[in-house]
Amino acid sequence: MFNLFVNLYVKVEAIIGKNDEAIMNFEKVRSIDPYIVTYMDEYAMLLKIKSDHSKLNKLVHDLLSIDPTRPEVFVALSVLCEGKDERGTLSNAEKSIRIDERHIPGYIMKAKKFYESALRLEPGYLGAALALAELHVIEGRNGDAVSLLERYLKDWADDSLHVKLAQVFAATNMLQEALSHYQAAQRINPQNEAAKKGLERLEKQMKGVDPDALEEEEENEVDDADGEQIETELL
């Protein structure tokens, strides 16, 4: 149970862009329990980002010997095939979904192949680029997401493009860059709600305040007020 908790913590590190720390902690978990499979597909994705092919190969070999029936194993295989065997990438992602249709990383790999194919057929398809960038962020590939989106800035004056870039920069604590893109989005479309809300969150971040903590406090205050109103009505 402890290892599962640590794995979940490491997964969060990857989501917020702390890839090196996440890799180091995944390795610690494996040293404690070499037979753990849960979230090891996430570890495989991080090794792919770092181009650590020897560790990725060993991880996949180990997972296959531990339990070849788990969806994480086929996602890891899909990651291993990525860039070398596109059919294998898609096939293994689909196998992971057949084993467990609730296993999200399998869908991520499958969706990536779909959007990459769409962009090969139509490189200027901004919708596919935005969707693929979101998948990169989910995988912890924030740098890849930024590189992809910035290629479209020259040809697209699009508020959603700037909002997505701002969100990625904000998630990696590059707050000035995030501010610049939120402001650009508002100049293009002053009615963009995502830009407005993003700026509100960003202002809190720039003051060193956790915006999510404030939202939770506000929700609790609303719940308390509702509870008091119900008690008054009962009296």
Side-chain angles (χ1 to χ4, degrees), residues 170 175 178-179 182 198-207:
L175 304 186
L179 177 63
Y182 275 133
L199 272 172
E200 290 172 357
R201 286 178 59 84
L202 189 62
E203 285 173 5
K204 294 170 186 174
Q205 281 182 268
M206 295 179 90
K207 292 175 182 175

Side-chain angles (χ1 to χ4, degrees), residues 13-181:
E13 284 186 322
I15 290 171
I16 62 176
K18 295 184 176 180
N19 292 345
D20 291 335
E21 293 92 332
I23 287 173
M24 182 177 66
N25 285 314
F26 268 128
E27 289 171 354
K28 285 180 182 176
V29 170
R30 293 196 77 218
S31 69
I32 296 168
D33 182 0
Y35 297 101
I36 194 163
V37 176
T38 304
Y39 293 132
M40 286 300 113
D41 46 358
E42 308 277 355
Y43 179 38
M45 292 177 187
L46 290 171
L47 292 175
K48 184 75 173 185
I49 294 169
K50 301 298 288 185
S51 299
D52 197 333
H53 303 298
S54 61
K55 282 187 180 178
L56 178 57
N57 272 295
K58 184 179 186 311
L59 174 65
V60 171
H61 180 271
D62 290 347
L63 293 175
L64 283 167
S65 65
I66 294 167
D67 187 351
T69 66
R70 292 280 294 272
E72 294 94 334
V73 177
F74 287 99
V75 173
L77 272 167
S78 181
V79 172
L80 183 64
C81 292
E82 192 176 9
K84 299 180 293 184
D85 178 3
E86 296 303 306
R87 185 175 295 178
T89 302
L90 185 58
S91 171
N92 284 304
E94 289 174 340
K95 284 178 184 176
S96 77
I97 294 168
R98 284 200 296 273
I99 292 170
D100 183 356
E101 62 183 18
R102 298 167 299 175
H103 193 66
I104 301 300
Y107 290 99
I108 292 172
M109 294 301 295
K110 187 174 180 180
K112 271 182 65 181
K113 294 300 107 186
F114 173 79
Y115 290 121
E116 286 170 354
S117 296
L119 287 173
R120 279 195 295 271
L121 292 170
E122 190 177 341
Y125 184 11
L126 180 60
L130 290 170
L132 183 57
E134 181 63 28
L135 293 174
H136 284 328
V137 171
I138 291 170
E139 287 185 293
R141 298 174 182 247
N142 292 350
D144 289 345
V146 170
S147 298
L148 172 64
L149 294 172
E150 284 183 337
R151 293 205 299 266
Y152 288 81
L153 285 176
K154 291 184 292 183
D155 302 317
W156 288 86
D158 186 277
D159 53 320
S160 60
L161 174 57
H162 284 285
V163 167
K164 180 55 65 180
L165 271 164
Q167 290 169 342
V168 178
F169 281 126
T172 50
N173 212 35
M174 299 175 70
L175 304 186
Q176 287 298 328
E177 290 85 348
L179 177 63
S180 173
H181 283 288

